[in-house]
Amino acid sequence: MKAKTPYQKRIVELNKTVRSLPNEVIVWAKEYALHHPAVRRKNNVTVCAMCGNAMVYSGSERNVKCMEYGRHVRIIESETWKAIKGNIKGWFSTLNVIDGIQLQRTFEIRCRYYLDGRDHQYYIRELSRHWLSPQGELAITALPRMMGQFLDCFPLVGKIELRGTSQMVYDYIADNSELYPDIQLISSLSELTYNDIRGTGSQTFIRDAIALTNGKQ
Ligand SMILES: [Zn+2]
């Protein structure tokens, strides 16, 4: 999509200045942006993919704590595990301020887990950026979406560029992503905390919060 409004033109320029993810965010995402699996065999022997600890578990609750390190893991039956070939996917996002604009960047993280002691393989790619001005103007730069029935159907090769369509999809992914705790907010949102934003539909919540502040003025 071609930039038409002055705001869109400004965002197209700012979009070029965005840096790659700091390493500490990547380290955090590998731990907290994925539901780590514990794979259960038919005899209920369940192996934690993160530490290799084996436990006997026959319960129906899927979200449990690994006894070894207290990490939250999700029970996956071995049949399912084979079907997904050990691949798990998650979304995470960061909140930053660039040039007075509130920016939410949303990423996909994929992990191929191994139960035999090999290192897990992680892949991270950025999907979308929501740019929100203190006046409430919104522009989205993102990967293009492919036609398809799946919600997050993005081509392997693509550029983060200004998008005029699919806002609902980009909003959905941002709202359902795990938010990196070290957040930066523009001054009109400075009273909000990480806990306010987290889990409330971060993008739509932030837009509502800005609209509210502007209404008060
Ligand atoms: Zn474990």
Side-chain angles (χ1 to χ4, degrees):
M1 168 191 176
K2 250 191 116 171
K4 292 186 193 105
T5 68
Y7 186 65
Q8 288 170 346
K9 286 175 184 160
R10 182 180 168 201
I11 295 308
V12 166
E13 290 309 308
L14 281 180
N15 188 53
K16 296 173 188 163
T17 69
V18 175
R19 304 219 185 120
S20 58
L21 264 186
N23 194 49
E24 61 263 29
V25 181
I26 295 173
V27 170
W28 168 88
K30 287 177 177 176
E31 182 66 38
Y32 296 105
L34 289 158
H35 290 290
H36 302 303
V39 183
R40 175 159 64 185
R41 293 192 215 117
K42 286 223 167 70
N43 60 5
N44 289 329
V45 171
T46 305
V47 177
C48 170
M50 292 305 280
C51 68
N53 178 43
M55 49 193 168
V56 176
Y57 179 72
S58 58
S60 58
E61 174 57 48
R62 298 228 155 248
N63 295 303
V64 298
K65 265 189 182 177
C66 168
M67 303 299 263
E68 188 74 17
Y69 293 107
R71 199 185 248 122
H72 290 276
V73 291
R74 181 173 282 183
I75 304 292
I76 293 187
E77 309 303 335
S78 56
E79 304 261 296
T80 315
W81 183 252
K82 276 178 209 148
I84 62 173
K85 298 188 174 71
N87 288 290
I88 307 275
K89 195 171 69 175
W91 294 322
F92 68 95
S93 64
T94 61
L95 277 175
N96 292 99
V97 177
I98 292 188
D99 202 25
I101 305 285
Q102 186 68 62
L103 169 63
Q104 182 171 20
R105 301 172 69 185
T106 307
F107 300 81
E108 173 189 80
I109 179 167
R110 286 170 189 265
C111 182
R112 168 78 165 93
Y113 291 89
Y114 294 97
L115 297 180
D116 58 8
R118 272 183 287 169
D119 286 344
H120 304 323
Q121 287 183 343
Y122 297 91
Y123 307 90
I124 292 177
R125 63 175 178 155
E126 191 164 7
L127 300 180
S128 63
R129 297 173 184 158
H130 285 77
W131 302 82
L132 200 57
S133 78
Q135 291 73 38
E137 297 159 289
L138 172 71
I140 296 174
T141 57
L143 290 182
R145 287 195 64 233
M146 292 198 298
M147 298 302 284
Q149 58 181 322
F150 296 108
L151 177 72
D152 56 339
C153 216
F154 298 97
L156 283 174
V157 187
K159 277 190 184 160
I160 305 256
E161 289 176 340
L162 191 67
R163 305 288 164 200
T165 55
S166 301
Q167 186 188 328
M168 270 175 63
V169 172
Y170 297 123
D171 286 356
Y172 180 86
I173 294 173
D175 285 351
N176 289 279
S177 63
E178 195 62 41
L179 184 61
Y180 181 62
D182 189 3
I183 56 173
Q184 280 177 10
L185 298 172
I186 55 175
S187 56
S188 56
L189 298 177
S190 61
E191 283 176 22
L192 296 179
T193 66
Y194 170 69
N195 282 331
D196 293 332
I197 299 169
R198 187 191 184 207
T200 50
S202 44
Q203 184 50 220
T204 39
F205 176 76
I206 288 165
R207 288 209 291 269
D208 288 348
I210 286 184
L212 203 69
T213 340
N214 287 329
K216 275 187 201 155
Q217 283 161 1

